[in-house]
PDB file of all heavy atoms in Angstrom:
ATOM      1  N   TYR G 183     -25.714 -32.964  13.043  1.00 90.00           N
ATOM      2  CA  TYR G 183     -26.985 -32.266  12.871  1.00 90.00           C
ATOM      3  C   TYR G 183     -26.916 -31.342  11.655  1.00 90.00           C
ATOM      4  O   TYR G 183     -25.867 -30.803  11.329  1.00 90.00           O
ATOM      5  CB  TYR G 183     -27.308 -31.426  14.107  1.00 90.00           C
ATOM      6  CG  TYR G 183     -27.740 -32.223  15.310  1.00 90.00           C
ATOM      7  CD1 TYR G 183     -26.812 -32.910  16.088  1.00 90.00           C
ATOM      8  CD2 TYR G 183     -29.085 -32.279  15.678  1.00 90.00           C
ATOM      9  CE1 TYR G 183     -27.208 -33.637  17.199  1.00 90.00           C
ATOM     10  CE2 TYR G 183     -29.489 -33.004  16.792  1.00 90.00           C
ATOM     11  CZ  TYR G 183     -28.546 -33.679  17.544  1.00 90.00           C
ATOM     12  OH  TYR G 183     -28.942 -34.396  18.652  1.00 90.00           O
ATOM     13  N   GLY G 184     -28.072 -31.140  11.025  1.00 85.00           N
ATOM     14  CA  GLY G 184     -28.133 -30.210   9.915  1.00 85.00           C
ATOM     15  C   GLY G 184     -28.068 -30.894   8.570  1.00 85.00           C
ATOM     16  O   GLY G 184     -28.275 -32.111   8.440  1.00 85.00           O
ATOM     17  N   GLY G 185     -27.746 -30.104   7.543  1.00 84.00           N
ATOM     18  CA  GLY G 185     -27.788 -30.582   6.177  1.00 84.00           C
ATOM     19  C   GLY G 185     -26.796 -31.664   5.838  1.00 84.00           C
ATOM     20  O   GLY G 185     -26.913 -32.317   4.809  1.00 84.00           O
ATOM     21  N   CYS G 186     -25.795 -31.875   6.685  1.00 89.00           N
ATOM     22  CA  CYS G 186     -24.762 -32.874   6.397  1.00 89.00           C
ATOM     23  C   CYS G 186     -24.898 -34.127   7.251  1.00 89.00           C
ATOM     24  O   CYS G 186     -24.010 -34.980   7.237  1.00 89.00           O
ATOM     25  CB  CYS G 186     -23.376 -32.266   6.604  1.00 89.00           C
ATOM     26  SG  CYS G 186     -23.083 -30.769   5.643  1.00 89.00           S
ATOM     27  N   GLY G 187     -25.976 -34.225   8.017  1.00 88.00           N
ATOM     28  CA  GLY G 187     -26.118 -35.373   8.911  1.00 88.00           C
ATOM     29  C   GLY G 187     -27.529 -35.898   8.969  1.00 88.00           C
ATOM     30  O   GLY G 187     -28.397 -35.500   8.188  1.00 88.00           O
ATOM     31  N   ASN G 188     -27.770 -36.777   9.935  1.00 87.00           N
ATOM     32  CA  ASN G 188     -29.062 -37.450  10.080  1.00 87.00           C
ATOM     33  C   ASN G 188     -29.843 -36.998  11.307  1.00 87.00           C
ATOM     34  O   ASN G 188     -30.897 -37.565  11.597  1.00 87.00           O
ATOM     35  CB  ASN G 188     -28.846 -38.970  10.151  1.00 87.00           C
ATOM     36  CG  ASN G 188     -28.202 -39.528   8.902  1.00 87.00           C
ATOM     37  OD1 ASN G 188     -28.547 -39.129   7.794  1.00 87.00           O
ATOM     38  ND2 ASN G 188     -27.252 -40.444   9.079  1.00 87.00           N
ATOM     39  N   PHE G 189     -29.332 -35.993  12.015  1.00 88.00           N
ATOM     40  CA  PHE G 189     -29.996 -35.538  13.227  1.00 88.00           C
ATOM     41  C   PHE G 189     -30.498 -34.112  13.033  1.00 88.00           C
ATOM     42  O   PHE G 189     -29.937 -33.344  12.235  1.00 88.00           O
ATOM     43  CB  PHE G 189     -29.041 -35.593  14.426  1.00 88.00           C
ATOM     44  CG  PHE G 189     -28.667 -36.991  14.840  1.00 88.00           C
ATOM     45  CD1 PHE G 189     -27.651 -37.679  14.185  1.00 88.00           C
ATOM     46  CD2 PHE G 189     -29.334 -37.631  15.874  1.00 88.00           C
ATOM     47  CE1 PHE G 189     -27.301 -38.966  14.553  1.00 88.00           C
ATOM     48  CE2 PHE G 189     -29.000 -38.928  16.254  1.00 88.00           C
ATOM     49  CZ  PHE G 189     -27.974 -39.591  15.592  1.00 88.00           C
ATOM     50  N   SER G 190     -31.536 -33.752  13.763  1.00 84.00           N
ATOM     51  CA  SER G 190     -32.088 -32.400  13.666  1.00 84.00           C
ATOM     52  C   SER G 190     -32.590 -31.956  15.022  1.00 84.00           C
ATOM     53  O   SER G 190     -32.901 -32.765  15.896  1.00 84.00           O
ATOM     54  CB  SER G 190     -33.226 -32.341  12.639  1.00 84.00           C
ATOM     55  OG  SER G 190     -34.316 -33.143  13.052  1.00 84.00           O
ATOM     56  N   CYS G 191     -32.672 -30.657  15.194  1.00 82.00           N
ATOM     57  CA  CYS G 191     -33.255 -30.058  16.403  1.00 82.00           C
ATOM     58  C   CYS G 191     -34.008 -28.823  15.947  1.00 82.00           C
ATOM     59  O   CYS G 191     -33.413 -27.858  15.483  1.00 82.00           O
ATOM     60  CB  CYS G 191     -32.193 -29.715  17.437  1.00 82.00           C
ATOM     61  SG  CYS G 191     -30.708 -28.926  16.786  1.00 82.00           S
ATOM     62  N   GLY G 192     -35.320 -28.900  16.022  1.00 67.00           N
ATOM     63  CA  GLY G 192     -36.112 -27.818  15.468  1.00 67.00           C
ATOM     64  C   GLY G 192     -36.336 -28.058  13.980  1.00 67.00           C
ATOM     65  O   GLY G 192     -35.829 -29.006  13.387  1.00 67.00           O
TER      66      GLY G 192
END
Side-chain angles (χ1 to χ4, degrees):
Y183 287 77
C186 304
N188 299 319
F189 292 83
S190 64
C191 44

